[in-house]
Amino acid sequence: DLCVLGHRRLSIIDTSAQGNQPFHFDQDRLVVVFNGEIYNYLELKNELAAGFSFQTQTDTEVIIAAYLKWGTDCVSHFFGMFAFALYDRDSNQLMIARDRLGVKPLYYAQTSDGLVFASEIRALLSTGLIEKKIGLHELCDYLRYQTVHAPASIIEGVHMLMPGHFMLVNADGFTIQRYWDATSHRAHISPGVSRSEVLQHIEELLTSSVELRMRADVPFGAFLSGGIDSSIVVGLMSRISEHRAKTFSITFHEKEFDESPYSELIAQKFKTDHTPIRLRANHFLELIPDALNAMDHPSGDGANTYVVSKVTREAGVKMALSGLGGDEVFAGYDVFKRMMSLEQKAWLNLTPKVLRKSAGALLRSIKPSVATDKLALALGSERLDPEHLYPLTRQILFEDDIQRLTNSSRIAENPMRILSSTVFNSDLPLLSKVSVMEMETYMQNTLLRDADQMSMAHALEIRVPFLDHRLVEYVLGVSDTIKYPHTPKELLTASVGNLIPREIIDRPKMGFTFPWALWMRNELNSFCESQLQALEAVQALNHAEVMTLWKRFMNNDKHITWSRIWPLVVLGHWVKEHDIH
C-alpha cells in the first residue's frame, strides 16, 4: 500500500527549515503533515521530555511525541486548532484528526484508487479522481442556508471529517471515531456555585485562552472592530503582555458603515499600535471578484473576511486574533432571546394549526416581505417551539422555492432539522442548546470555513480565543438564569469587570451592512447575471426559475431580497471557476 503526504507551509512557530513538512521521525517510522497550531505545545513538551528527545522548537514534533506516548488519545491532550495526518509505518496505519470546534477544515473522498484527503476541496478536485458533480442533497442544503453542512460538502462524494473526530486508515479501509462533542463534554456546575464564582472562572479561562494564542515567532496582532468581542480580546492582550498590541480595523469614508470611533476608543484605552485601514465602499466592491476567486467552497458570506485579511497581511502581520465565536458562546444574537421567549409561550400551541396558518397567510398579504414569509411558515409549523422553529432562523430560501428551483417534489431532508431534534431534546440549558445549534451550523459551516479560506488566501493565520474548548465546555454548563443577556453578552462583559467601557457594551450592533442590493442592480449587474447564466451547467437546477428569481429581484419584489440571490451568484461563479458539470 502507498501513502503519499504533501504540505505547503505557513510558518508561525519555529520558522526555521527544521519545521518543514512532511515531518519525519526515526527514519520515516512516523511521518506527519499538520495544518494549524497546538497552543499548549510548550506544556506538553515539558510533560513529554522525559521520554522523548526533542530536536526542534515546533509544535509539529509535539504531535509525534504525544502519539508515541498516548496513541490516538493524543488528540484529547491538544489545545488548539488543527487538522493533521500521521502515518505510522510499524502498523501501516494513517491517523487523520480534526480539532474539537472545527476551526481547521479537512475534506476527504473514497475513490477507486483509494482515499484522498486535503485542507481544501480544490486540492481534491485537482487529482482528477473525483467526479465534479453537485448532488441534489448538497444543492438543497446550499439553497436553504448558503452553505452545505458537514459532513457533506458541495461536491457529491466529498465529505468533511467532523469536528472532534479522527479517522484511522489501513489496508482494510477506514473507521471514524469521535473523541469530543460539545453536549457531552459540557461542564456540570453545581447549583450552589455563585454568579461571582462563575464570572471569575470565565475570566481565568478567557485570559488563559488569549495568552496561549499569543504564542508565535512572527509579527502578530488582532482584528479590532470596536465591538464587545474584539475589544475584550485586545484588552486581555494588553493586560497579558508588556508589549503594545498591534491592532487593525477597517474604517470607511461612508459614516453609515464606519466603526472607527469605537475601534479608536479601544486603541487609545489600551495604547495599542493601531492601524486603521481606510476603505471606500466602492473599493470593497472592486475586491468582490477577487474574493470569489479565493473561495474554496461556495458560501453566501465571506467577502468581508477576504478584505480584512488582505489589508491586515499587507500591513506585515502573519497572524491575527479574532473575536469570532463570542456571539455563539455568550448568547450574543437575537435568536437566543427569541428562543427563550418561545419556550415561555407554550400556550401558543393551544391554537389550532389551521388558524395559525390562516393568520400567517393574512400577514403575508398585508405586509409582503421575507420576514413575514418566515413568520407565516413559523405559524404553520407543527409546533411553536425552539426545536421546530430554530431551523427557520437562518434559512434563505424556503421549501417551495427549492422545489421550483430543483423541479423536484422530493427534496432532501433538512439536516438542520435532524440536528435540532437531537440538541433541543438534550439536557442542556436552553441558551446552551441554542449555542450548540449556532456553533454546529452557521459558525462551523460558514463563519469558520470562510475565515479559513479567505485568510489563507493571503497567508494569514486567524486565531479564535472564544473557541478554546475549555471555555466552551464551561459556558455551556452555566444556567440560563446566570447567562441570560439582559444587556449585550452580559455574562461575558461582567466576567472581565471594567475592562471595556460602557460605550462599547451599549453601542448598536453594526457589522458590514453594505448596499448590496444597490450594487447588484447597478455596478455588479452584468457580473451577477453572467454568474447566474453559468448555473446552466448544474443539471439539478431549473435555470429558468433561477432567472425568474433574478428578474423578480431586479423588479424590486419584496419577497426576493439581495441575500436570496447572492448565494446563487456565488455558486454560479464557483461552478464556472472549477468546471463543474
Side-chain angles (χ1 to χ4, degrees):
D1 294 303
L2 179 67
C3 177
V4 180
L5 302 177
H7 186 267
R8 188 178 182 190
R9 187 181 183 206
L10 172 62
S11 52
I12 302 292
I13 291 172
D14 189 350
T15 59
S16 74
Q18 282 189 304
N20 289 349
Q21 300 179 37
F23 190 96
H24 302 260
F25 170 76
D26 192 15
Q27 298 180 322
D28 298 347
R29 179 185 150 210
L30 298 175
V31 185
V32 67
V33 286
F34 163 45
N35 176 28
E37 306 290 347
I38 307 297
Y39 300 126
N40 64 328
Y41 77 105
L42 293 176
E43 289 78 6
L44 287 174
K45 202 169 180 180
N46 289 335
E47 186 176 350
L48 296 163
F52 188 91
S53 177
F54 287 95
Q55 303 299 309
T56 74
Q57 302 302 311
T58 66
D59 52 343
T60 309
E61 194 176 14
V62 171
I63 294 175
I64 297 270
Y67 175 79
L68 286 171
K69 182 172 177 65
W70 296 304
T72 57
D73 191 49
C74 61
V75 286
S76 300
H77 296 262
F78 298 151
F79 299 176
M81 55 176 190
F82 55 83
F84 70 80
L86 189 153
Y87 177 63
D88 185 335
R89 187 178 296 277
D90 288 352
S91 60
N92 192 28
Q93 181 168 269
L94 183 71
M95 176 185 181
I96 305 173
R98 192 169 175 215
D99 67 69
R100 295 170 181 82
L101 274 302
V103 181
K104 284 294 177 186
L106 202 153
Y107 299 93
Y108 69 94
Q110 182 71 40
T111 77
S112 56
D113 290 318
L115 185 88
V116 289
F117 64 94
S119 293
E120 293 192 347
I121 283 185
R122 288 176 290 196
L124 297 186
L125 296 181
S126 71
T127 65
L129 299 172
I130 294 157
E131 186 180 359
K132 295 181 175 182
K133 179 185 176 185
I134 297 176
L136 183 61
H137 174 85
E138 295 80 11
L139 179 63
C140 290
D141 201 17
Y142 182 83
L143 294 175
R144 285 189 193 101
Y145 294 111
Q146 64 180 340
T147 189
V148 180
H149 290 90
S153 79
I154 192 67
I155 296 291
E156 191 173 69
V158 173
H159 306 284
M160 294 194 84
L161 182 61
M162 291 295 280
H165 285 67
F166 65 84
M167 173 191 290
L168 296 176
V169 189
N170 57 35
D172 299 323
F174 68 87
T175 58
I176 295 175
Q177 297 178 39
R178 185 174 73 186
Y179 68 91
W180 187 90
D181 75 284
T183 303
S184 61
H185 282 78
R186 68 82 160 23
H188 292 277
I189 301 168
S190 164
V193 173
S194 68
R195 183 174 186 268
S196 61
E197 289 174 288
V198 168
L199 295 177
Q200 183 182 345
H201 194 57
I202 289 172
E203 182 186 23
E204 289 167 359
L205 288 169
L206 192 50
T207 302
S208 170
S209 175
V210 171
E211 191 168 19
L212 286 176
R213 282 157 183 78
M214 289 172 69
R215 290 177 173 174
D217 296 327
V218 296
F220 68 90
F223 295 150
L224 178 58
S225 68
I228 289 172
D229 303 329
S230 66
S231 298
I232 286 175
V233 168
V234 169
L236 290 174
M237 287 174 75
S238 300
R239 183 188 284 178
I240 290 161
S241 174
E242 296 174 2
H243 301 290
R244 291 175 69 188
K246 289 180 181 290
T247 53
F248 300 87
S249 62
I250 302 282
T251 68
F252 286 95
H253 180 75
E254 295 86 352
K255 283 188 177 177
E256 63 268 34
F257 314 132
D258 188 36
E259 298 181 277
S260 62
Y262 302 107
S263 56
E264 284 168 10
L265 176 67
I266 292 298
Q268 288 168 12
K269 177 177 173 62
F270 296 113
K271 299 181 173 58
T272 71
D273 182 1
H274 188 57
T275 306
I277 299 148
R278 199 162 184 78
L279 289 179
R280 286 184 175 271
N282 278 343
H283 184 202
F284 183 92
L285 174 66
E286 289 161 14
L287 291 170
I288 288 171
D290 292 338
L292 296 189
N293 289 335
M295 204 169 270
D296 177 57
H297 189 288
S299 165
D301 216 330
N304 306 341
T305 311
Y306 178 88
V307 177
V308 176
S309 297
K310 174 181 167 65
V311 293
T312 302
R313 186 68 182 87
E314 286 172 352
V317 166
K318 286 180 75 174
M319 183 273 281
L321 273 65
S322 161
L324 192 157
D327 285 313
E328 289 78 7
V329 177
F330 288 98
Y333 296 127
D334 289 342
V335 68
F336 285 89
K337 285 187 172 182
R338 288 205 305 271
M339 292 299 118
M340 184 68 91
S341 175
L342 197 59
E343 181 94 329
Q344 293 163 352
K345 293 176 181 172
W347 51 266
L348 286 169
N349 289 292
L350 298 174
T351 310
K353 181 180 171 181
V354 65
L355 289 181
R356 290 191 269 113
K357 206 167 184 178
S358 299
L362 183 62
L363 272 171
R364 287 184 75 180
S365 62
I366 294 170
K367 192 179 179 182
S369 70
V370 172
T372 51
D373 288 348
K374 203 170 272 194
L375 182 56
L377 283 169
L379 289 170
S381 181
E382 278 306 310
R383 284 190 61 78
L384 297 177
D385 61 15
E387 177 191 337
H388 290 86
L389 297 195
Y390 179 87
L392 268 175
T393 56
R394 291 196 183 275
Q395 195 160 342
I396 305 294
L397 291 168
F398 306 128
E399 304 308 292
D400 55 347
D401 300 314
I402 295 167
Q403 285 182 357
R404 287 194 304 273
L405 282 166
T406 59
N407 271 348
S408 175
S409 58
R410 296 177 58 210
I411 60 177
E413 188 172 4
N414 184 342
M416 199 183 285
R417 291 199 176 279
I418 299 167
L419 180 64
S420 183
S421 173
T422 303
V423 173
F424 283 108
N425 286 294
S426 72
D427 63 350
L428 285 167
L430 178 63
L431 292 176
S432 294
K433 290 176 184 177
V434 181
S435 275
V436 170
M437 289 301 299
E438 286 292 310
M439 288 191 292
E440 295 190 3
T441 57
Y442 179 62
M443 186 189 82
Q444 284 180 7
N445 298 283
T446 301
L447 293 181
L448 286 174
R449 188 151 57 189
D450 287 348
D452 185 76
Q453 62 189 3
M454 293 310 189
S455 60
M456 286 292 141
H458 301 291
L460 174 76
E461 179 176 281
I462 294 178
R463 296 182 178 180
V464 281
F466 286 109
L467 298 186
D468 184 295
H469 72 277
R470 299 166 300 164
L471 178 67
V472 170
E473 288 171 2
Y474 187 76
V475 177
L476 287 179
V478 175
S479 70
D480 289 341
T481 307
I482 293 177
K483 190 187 293 178
Y484 188 82
H486 300 281
T487 59
K489 283 173 276 201
E490 186 177 358
L491 182 64
L492 172 60
T493 58
S495 72
V496 293
N498 297 319
L499 184 69
I500 59 171
R502 286 306 311 181
E503 297 98 304
I504 299 299
I505 296 169
D506 299 329
R507 59 164 285 194
K509 201 172 178 70
M510 279 179 70
F512 287 93
T513 52
F514 296 140
W516 285 96
L518 192 65
W519 284 346
M520 288 169 69
R521 291 191 179 104
N522 294 281
E523 293 96 330
L524 283 175
N525 181 283
S526 59
F527 175 82
C528 290
E529 195 155 322
S530 172
Q531 313 317 310
L532 292 173
Q533 292 291 357
L535 287 173
E536 279 192 281
V538 182
Q539 292 178 359
L541 266 179
N542 180 337
H543 192 254
E545 281 295 332
V546 171
M547 298 317 291
T548 297
L549 273 185
W550 173 244
K551 284 171 188 160
R552 287 174 64 190
F553 168 73
M554 290 300 293
N555 291 330
N556 294 303
D557 185 326
K558 287 185 169 59
H559 296 280
I560 311 298
T561 56
W562 72 268
S563 60
R564 307 188 89 194
I565 294 292
W566 182 249
L568 289 166
V569 172
V570 173
L571 183 62
H573 185 278
W574 196 85
V575 161
K576 186 162 59 174
E577 184 78 9
H578 299 289
D579 191 29
I580 308 298
H581 52 80

